[in-house]
Amino acid sequence: MGAPMARRLLAAGHQVVVWNRDMSKAQALVSDGAVVADTAASAVKDCDLVFTMLSDGKAVEAVLFDGGVARALAKGAVVIDSSSISPPVARDHSARLQVLGIAHLDAPVSGGVVGAEAGTLAIMAGGEADVVDGLLDVFAALGRVTHVGPSGAGQICKLANQQIVAITIGAVAEAMMLVEAGGASREKFREAIRGGFAESRILDLHGARMVTRNFVPGGPSKFQLKDLDAVKAMADLFSLDLPLTEQVRCAFSDFVAGGGGDTDHSGLLLHLEAMNAAKGGEGKE
C-alpha cells in the first residue's frame, strides 16, 4: 500500500523521497517523480514529514531506531506511522520520539490497495489533535483522516477495524457455502443481497473474489492473523471476552499454518471449504 500512497502524494505536488528494504520497489516510483534514497536515514534528511508503512512493529522499530531514522530527523519533524502495529508499541515509539523533539502520529489506514490508489483510505490518527489538523492537506491526498484520540488510539481503532473485516469475511464465506449447498448460485446470491442490510465493502470486493475464486493478495492472510493476534493480546489486557473474534482468529491461524499465509484473506473460504470437505460436507476444489 505504500507505493500507491507515495504516488498520491507525488500527484498532489509534494516532493517525495522513498526508501524500501526491497530497493526494486523504491525504484518503481522514480517514473512518478520520487527520489530514491540508499538508506532509511538518508531518506529522511531535511524532511519535515515522514511516513512509514511497514509489515509489523518489529519492522517499524528496526527502521525508526535501529536504522537511524530517529537520529537523522530534525527537531520539529513529524513521523506518521501508517503501519498496523500494537498500540503499546505505537505509544512507546511516540514517547521515544518526543524526547528527541519529534512529533508522532499512529495513523493506520483501511481500504486496501484499491483505496490507496483511489485516495479513499480511511485514516485513523492517534496523537495530538493539532498535529493532525496541521496536516489535513497532506492527508487529503490519501483519503479521509479522523483524529480518534491520543497516542495508540489509531492502532486500537485499526485493530477494531480488522475485527470487523475478519468476522465479516468469515460470515460471507460461510454464507457462500450455505447457498451453494442448498442449490443456489453464489454469484446470484451476492447479486441478490446487494443493497440490502448485508451490503458491505467486504461483500462487494471479497464476495466477488469468492465468486471468481481470485485469491491473489490484496491483504495476505498472515497479516490478517497478525492483527487478530494483536486484538487477542489487547483483549487479554482489558479482560475482555470476544468469542466471535477468537473463533475467526483460530480459523485464520489454521489457514496460515496450513500454507495459506500469502493467500488473500478472503481465501479463508478455502479453509472452510476444506474443513467441510474433510467432514463429508460441501467442498470445492
Side-chain angles (χ1 to χ4, degrees), residues 105-274:
L105 297 176
D106 54 290
V109 301
S110 181
V113 174
V114 172
E117 291 173 342
T120 58
L121 292 172
I123 308 166
M124 298 150 267
E128 296 295 332
D130 58 343
V131 176
V132 177
D133 290 343
L135 296 172
L136 291 180
D137 61 330
V138 177
F139 282 122
L142 305 174
R144 175 178 54 84
V145 65
T146 303
H147 178 240
V148 293
S151 178
Q155 295 297 346
I156 200 71
C157 287
K158 177 59 185 291
L159 291 182
N161 177 86
Q162 295 303 84
Q163 283 180 273
I164 295 171
V165 168
I167 292 169
T168 308
I169 284 174
V172 172
E174 290 187 358
M176 290 287 185
M177 294 167 59
L178 179 66
V179 298
E180 186 165 88
S185 160
R186 291 184 180 187
E187 180 179 9
K188 292 301 182 181
F189 159 68
R190 175 177 169 273
E191 180 182 321
I193 66 172
R194 296 295 305 274
F197 282 167
E199 179 66 280
S200 69
R201 188 70 168 158
I202 300 299
L203 179 67
D204 179 18
L205 295 180
H206 294 315
R209 284 176 174 270
M210 292 176 194
V211 169
T212 63
R213 305 187 73 78
N214 173 18
F215 301 117
V216 177
S221 291
K222 62 186 178 184
F223 292 155
Q224 180 73 76
L225 177 59
K226 179 258 298 184
D227 291 338
L228 291 172
D229 285 343
V231 171
K232 176 174 170 50
M234 297 307 297
D236 290 345
L237 179 65
F238 300 141
S239 299
L240 294 175
D241 184 12
L242 306 175
L244 296 179
T245 305
E246 180 58 16
Q247 186 171 354
V248 78
R249 186 189 72 84
C250 290
F252 270 106
S253 180
D254 290 343
F255 183 43
V256 170
D262 291 320
T263 303
D264 189 82
H265 49 178
S266 58
L268 183 67
L269 174 69
L270 300 174
H271 169 69
L272 297 175
E273 287 176 339

Side-chain angles (χ1 to χ4, degrees), residues 3 14 24 46 61 100 175 178 195 235 244 252 275:
H14 298 286
S24 66
D46 300 323
E61 174 82 17
L100 300 174
L178 179 66
L244 296 179
F252 270 106
M275 182 179 68

Side-chain angles (χ1 to χ4, degrees), residues 43-51 64 69-81 93-94 96-105 128 131 135:
V44 305
K45 185 179 179 182
D46 300 323
C47 286
D48 298 320
L49 182 61
V50 174
F51 278 89
L64 282 184
V69 165
R71 294 189 300 274
L73 284 169
K75 288 185 178 180
V78 181
V79 171
I80 302 174
D81 185 14
H93 291 172
S94 181
R96 289 158 68 185
L97 289 171
Q98 186 177 21
V99 171
L100 300 174
I102 300 164
H104 176 272
L105 297 176
E128 296 295 332
V131 176
L135 296 172

Side-chain angles (χ1 to χ4, degrees), residues 1-7 29 53:
M1 292 176 67
M5 289 171 68
R7 291 190 177 99
L29 294 165
M53 173 59 93

